[in-house]
Amino acid sequence: RRLGWLLVGVGTVLMWLVVTRGVPWQLFARGEFSADFYDEQARALLAGHLDVNPAVPAIEGFVVDGRTQLYFGLFLAIVRMPVVALTDAAVGRLTGLSIVVASAVALEASFRLAVASRASLRPGEAPKAGDRWRITAVMAAVATSPALFAGGWLTVYHETEIWALALGIAALAAAVRLLSDPAPCHALMASAAAAACVLTRVTVGLGVTMAVALLVVVTLRHRRTALAGVAAVLAGGVATFVAVNMARFGTLFSIPVDRQQMTLLTPERAQWFAEHNNSFFSPRFVPSNLWAYLRPDAVAFERLAPVVRFGPRPVELGGVDFESITPTTSLTVSAALLGALAVVGLVVAVRTRRWLWL
């Protein structure tokens, strides 16, 4: 446990330095465009409505029935409500702190996930010296994953991503704990974290919710009261997101990209959406995305610090036409240690026939 807290502390300080560009006392410096999105959403919630001041989101806002809406989940806005209620001085200045705290949560949850995994695989065994290295490897893999990249840009996009990661790991850590200690409290913790994840970034949260539900059903199949409580929390998270999305856009999960200011002001973008069912999503985009995410050469080197940068421009496979293509790297490059550990775990799970882990 001391090792875990030491690694959490080191990782948190590292993220603090990344967020502040090596100037720690600049933690509350005003962020870039979108750093005040959650503050504005918190202000709207305190006023009893969802729509926000159009000047804050600008081109990111969605104009629906004459009102401007944001599409981000409400969890981080709700967390900000006490601060926003007390003062306006913190508006746009909380993103850096939020990213640092999320990094600490992700690392602490990674520690608990590693410990819970070991307990479920080798129940009753005393800790061994090799366990320290395994736990260190898991936490280092998370710390040096794309989570580290989140600290490089103080915006709502990176804040949302790293909190979705942190809450997702926390949910899985509690759910895996059920395999060695099937106590209802762990199930409720897992479901609460999964629900918060849904209300942060729904695409991540729904995957986490399905994983948590599977582990809960396997471990608590004979405890109807606990199962009912977990089901209520998980369903509540999804239902809350759906209710908010319906209130904002009149849809269950999708967003009306044709009503976004960016689309309304860009004829080419509007035409692209009109030709693609007003959606960013299509099975035809999967091959191009998979290749971009997995290609091993998505890194380049240059003389300027920090020496490395994103590699070759992604390609459009199969003759598809993307609305836009931004520079990107791949999981095999940006999460190399995490990927290597995943491959080792996959091989071991197959050889030992641990089908639940697969």
Side-chain angles (χ1 to χ4, degrees), residues 281-295 314-322 325:
F281 303 99
S282 170
R284 297 186 296 120
F285 299 152
V286 172
S288 300
N289 280 318
L290 280 179
W291 172 238
Y293 294 159
L294 300 178
R295 61 187 300 173
V315 296
E316 298 170 311
L317 301 178
V320 299
D321 173 33
F322 279 76
I325 294 182

Side-chain angles (χ1 to χ4, degrees), residues 46-69:
L46 287 169
H49 54 81
L50 289 170
D51 56 289
V52 298
N53 179 358
V56 175
I59 60 173
E60 279 282 34
F62 290 76
V63 181
V64 181
D65 296 331
R67 298 179 179 180
T68 300
Q69 303 284 356

Side-chain angles (χ1 to χ4, degrees), residues 302-322:
E302 59 186 5
R303 295 172 62 184
L304 298 176
V307 184
V308 295
R309 61 177 174 84
F310 292 157
R313 183 178 184 272
V315 296
E316 298 170 311
L317 301 178
V320 299
D321 173 33
F322 279 76

Side-chain angles (χ1 to χ4, degrees), residues 3-4 7 110-111 114-115 130-140:
L3 172 66
L7 294 175
S110 300
F111 169 75
V115 171
D131 293 333
R132 294 182 178 181
W133 291 107
R134 295 186 182 93
I135 291 173
T136 300
V138 171
M139 297 181 68

Side-chain angles (χ1 to χ4, degrees), residues 3 6 26 34 73 97 103 106 118 131-132 171 176 207 211 218 220 230 236 240 245 258 299 319 323 339 351 357:
L3 172 66
L6 174 63
Q26 292 292 326
S34 81
L97 174 64
S103 175
R118 182 216 174 273
D131 293 333
R132 294 182 178 181
V176 170
V218 168
L220 297 180
V230 170
T240 301
N245 216 59
D258 59 322
V299 65
E323 187 274 324
R351 291 185 60 183
W357 281 94

Side-chain angles (χ1 to χ4, degrees), residues 31-54:
E32 301 178 40
F33 170 70
S34 81
D36 57 351
F37 280 15
Y38 283 126
D39 302 315
E40 175 59 24
Q41 186 67 78
R43 185 181 294 149
L45 292 175
L46 287 169
H49 54 81
L50 289 170
D51 56 289
V52 298
N53 179 358

